[in-house]
Amino acid sequence: MITHLQHREYTRLLTLQVLFLLTLAISNENSVAQTISTLMLLGVIFQIIGICHPRRDIVWPLGGVAILGFILGAIDNHNPLSTLGVTTSIVSNLIYALFIAVAIYVMGGRIYQAERVTIDVIRGGICIYLLIGSLWFLFYSSIELLDQSAFSHLTQRHGIYPMMYFSFTTLTTLGYGDILPTQGLAMFLANVESVLGQLFPAIFIARLVSLYIVHDRQD
């Protein structure tokens, strides 16, 4: 039973990521709803920790750092315009960004070296793609907290989701143009994300799908 659950670790992570994106999208400016979405992000982080570091003596300290990020994010949700809220939000973003960046590196290596590509492994590749979008969302959110003019919004903002929306429209190179980066660092990050958004599916995920087909035919 435990082995069966381990074989679906990326499926569970993908489910948590979709739930996080959904709750963030409907949270608007409601502090309670934003706390729920932050809690979903904490669930994503804990699943990542379980995948990358299965040892309990490592999981608990890392989990404590992740909970600290959640607490700081919750403080920001209830004090969004205060200096304390901005500071705690930036620190919280950096904590989550560090977890996600390490997860992309570790999971990417594990998936690339997998002896056998299954459907769950392919979902792991999709998880990494979504994590890239979430990582850049944290970058953009932090930049906007430091510089309110870093992005030009052509429509009225509602909560923090517009930065996630901008991240994924950039990652997929849709580029609707309703949110535009106007600050140098924000523009550079948008360029990097758009390049990653093109190369990752074309190279990494395509390789996984090809290996899955090969293994399936061998069976």
Side-chain angles (χ1 to χ4, degrees):
M1 182 66 178
I2 294 177
T3 303
H4 176 68
L5 291 175
Q6 289 176 341
H7 288 169
R8 300 184 60 185
E9 56 187 6
Y10 296 119
T11 301
R12 295 198 302 276
L13 176 59
L14 181 59
T15 301
L16 288 171
Q17 286 181 270
V18 172
L19 289 175
F20 163 63
L21 295 174
L22 178 61
T23 55
L24 185 64
I26 63 178
S27 64
N28 293 325
E29 296 180 353
N30 186 291
S31 60
V32 176
Q34 287 184 6
T35 300
I36 294 174
S37 67
T38 307
L39 187 61
M40 294 304 305
L41 178 58
L42 183 63
V44 171
I45 296 299
F46 268 99
Q47 179 65 22
I48 287 172
I49 293 173
I51 293 174
C52 298
H53 301 282
R55 290 171 50 191
R56 291 188 177 182
D57 58 332
I58 297 178
V59 167
W60 287 113
L62 292 177
V65 176
I67 292 174
L68 174 62
F70 168 75
I71 293 173
L72 294 175
I75 292 174
D76 169 62
N77 291 338
H78 291 85
N79 302 275
L81 300 179
S82 67
T83 303
L84 176 63
V86 172
T87 302
T88 56
S89 181
I90 292 175
V91 175
S92 177
N93 286 349
L94 292 177
I95 291 174
Y96 285 133
L98 180 61
F99 272 108
I100 293 176
V102 172
I104 291 172
Y105 176 79
V106 175
M107 288 172 51
R110 285 185 55 185
I111 291 173
Y112 188 85
Q113 297 174 4
E115 295 180 359
R116 180 176 180 82
V117 176
T118 64
I119 289 294
D120 190 61
V121 172
I122 293 177
R123 288 170 182 163
I126 298 173
C127 286
I128 295 177
Y129 188 70
L130 296 181
L131 286 175
I132 293 173
S134 298
L135 178 62
W136 256 254
F137 153 70
L138 294 169
F139 290 157
Y140 296 141
S141 296
S142 299
I143 290 173
E144 190 177 43
L145 286 169
L146 294 172
D147 183 1
Q148 293 294 319
S149 63
F151 295 89
S152 174
H153 298 266
L154 303 184
T155 57
Q156 185 178 2
R157 291 191 59 196
H158 296 285
I160 61 175
Y161 186 70
M163 285 294 92
M164 181 68 84
Y165 160 81
F166 172 73
S167 178
F168 277 95
T169 55
T170 303
L171 183 67
T172 56
T173 65
L174 287 174
Y176 291 120
D178 49 351
I179 302 177
L180 303 173
T182 58
Q183 187 239 40
L185 180 58
M187 296 169 69
F188 170 75
L189 287 174
N191 285 336
V192 174
E193 185 180 24
S194 62
V195 172
L196 287 175
Q198 289 290 295
L199 296 180
F200 187 83
I203 299 175
F204 193 87
I205 295 182
R207 175 181 179 274
L208 294 179
V209 173
S210 299
L211 289 175
Y212 172 77
I213 294 174
V214 170
H215 294 160
D216 185 62
R217 288 180 176 176
Q218 289 177 347
D219 290 342

